[in-house]
């Protein structure tokens, strides 16, 4: 792992200028960016906004991991089918951002990422975000319908286990850090509760720009 610290904001020449004073430009022909973190850390929001600004595709790991159901996120897709679908989409798209955790999907499944962005938020901020998000998405049913209450409570317990690592969740901070340590790709770690404007206007430069 080549760690690009938030305080330094420095990339190598083979990378592109992701953000320069709010203007999005590329200095190389292709862009394969992976953004991930805990549920509620802002991966989807940041990924979609960046993709829109850059004019490239955004792929969300949840769209492949879960089969669309009502209520959602209750039926997992077969791993072989999941991997075939995402491999096809990524291979047929020149420039893209992939959002979400894919640490247990297979190391040989994905092409080399030009940059991996890891987002981390303290648990209390994440959980409040998730509770607000779930209420906005689904309404009071998550507190009034017996089955939805159970699903909601299980989801929040799972999300908390990202930091607690009691064995309830496989996707944990420790698992993410272990996965990052095995990467040879440049990694930008962003820790804290930055606003979207602060993230979007973050300046990442090449040594030639100094």
């Amino acid at each position: 792992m080549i760690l690009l610290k938030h305080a330094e904001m420095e990339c190598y020449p083979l990378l592109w200028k992701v953000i320069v004073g709010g203007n999005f430009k590329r200095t190389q022909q292709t862009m394969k960016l992976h953004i991930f973190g805990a549920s509620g850390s802002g991966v989807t929001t940041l990924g979609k906004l960046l993709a829109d600004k850059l004019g490239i595709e955004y792929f969300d790991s949840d769209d492949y991991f879960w089969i669309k159901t009502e209520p959602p996120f209750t039926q997992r897709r077969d791993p072989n089918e999941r991997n075939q679908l995402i491999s096809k989409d990524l291979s047929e798209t020149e420039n893209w951002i992939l959002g979400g955790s894919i640490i247990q999907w297979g190391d040989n499944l994905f092409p080399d990422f030009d940059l991996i962005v890891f987002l981390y938020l303290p648990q209390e901020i994440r959980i409040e975000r998730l509770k607000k998000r779930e209420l906005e998405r689904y309404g009071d049913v998550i507190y009034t319908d017996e089955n939805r209450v159970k699903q909601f409570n299980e989801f929040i317990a799972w999300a908390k286990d990202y930091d607690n690592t009691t064995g309830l969740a496989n996707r944990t901070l420790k698992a993410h850090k272990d996965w990052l340590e095995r990467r040879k790709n440049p990694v930008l770690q962003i820790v804290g509760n930055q606003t979207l404007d602060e993230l979007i206007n973050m300046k990442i430069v090449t040594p030639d720009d100094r």
Side-chain angles (χ1 to χ4, degrees), residues 34-145:
H34 178 40
I35 306 176
F36 80 114
S39 183
S41 61
V43 169
T44 301
T45 303
L46 177 61
K48 286 183 175 180
L49 188 56
L50 276 176
D52 180 64
K53 293 288 186 180
L54 291 164
I56 63 177
E57 292 288 335
Y58 176 78
F59 297 107
D60 194 310
S61 62
D62 277 346
D63 293 336
Y64 301 90
F65 188 85
W66 299 101
I67 295 175
K68 290 185 178 181
T69 57
E70 185 56 43
F73 309 120
T74 57
Q75 186 176 349
R76 298 181 182 185
R77 180 174 274 112
D78 174 79
N80 289 329
E81 180 186 0
R82 174 200 70 196
N83 289 359
Q84 288 175 5
L85 288 171
I86 194 168
S87 180
K88 180 177 183 294
D89 284 345
L90 296 183
S91 65
E92 293 179 352
T93 309
E94 186 176 26
N95 301 304
W96 44 259
I97 296 173
L98 172 62
S101 179
I102 42 84
I103 65 172
Q104 295 175 331
W105 291 24
D107 287 339
N108 297 322
L109 177 64
F110 300 96
D112 282 338
F113 300 116
D114 296 312
L115 179 67
I116 298 172
V117 179
F118 175 60
L119 303 181
Y120 179 79
L121 276 179
Q123 183 187 102
E124 61 273 13
I125 299 175
R126 281 198 308 108
I127 298 304
E128 285 306 309
R129 278 189 179 184
L130 289 173
K131 289 179 178 179
K132 181 180 179 181
R133 185 190 75 184
E134 296 298 287
L135 182 61
E136 290 175 348
R137 279 183 178 178
Y138 308 118
D140 292 338
V141 67
I142 63 173
Y143 296 114
T144 58
D145 179 88

Side-chain angles (χ1 to χ4, degrees), residues 145-159:
D145 179 88
E146 183 177 352
N147 290 330
R148 297 300 294 271
V149 169
K150 181 176 182 294
Q151 183 184 4
F152 172 71
N153 288 337
E154 289 176 347
F155 170 65
I156 295 299
W158 171 84

Side-chain angles (χ1 to χ4, degrees), residues 143-201:
Y143 296 114
T144 58
D145 179 88
E146 183 177 352
N147 290 330
R148 297 300 294 271
V149 169
K150 181 176 182 294
Q151 183 184 4
F152 172 71
N153 288 337
E154 289 176 347
F155 170 65
I156 295 299
W158 171 84
K160 287 181 178 180
D161 205 49
Y162 181 81
D163 293 280
N164 299 340
T165 317
T166 64
L168 181 63
N170 292 323
R171 196 173 85 181
T172 63
L173 178 59
K174 182 181 183 305
H176 277 172
K177 286 184 174 181
D178 288 346
W179 184 81
L180 282 172
E181 285 297 326
R182 299 193 299 271
R183 299 310 102 198
K184 296 180 180 180
N185 319 81
V187 175
L188 175 63
Q189 295 190 14
I190 302 175
V191 179
N193 190 24
Q194 289 87 1
T195 65
L196 271 178
D197 284 342
E198 288 170 336
L199 289 173
I200 290 301
N201 288 299

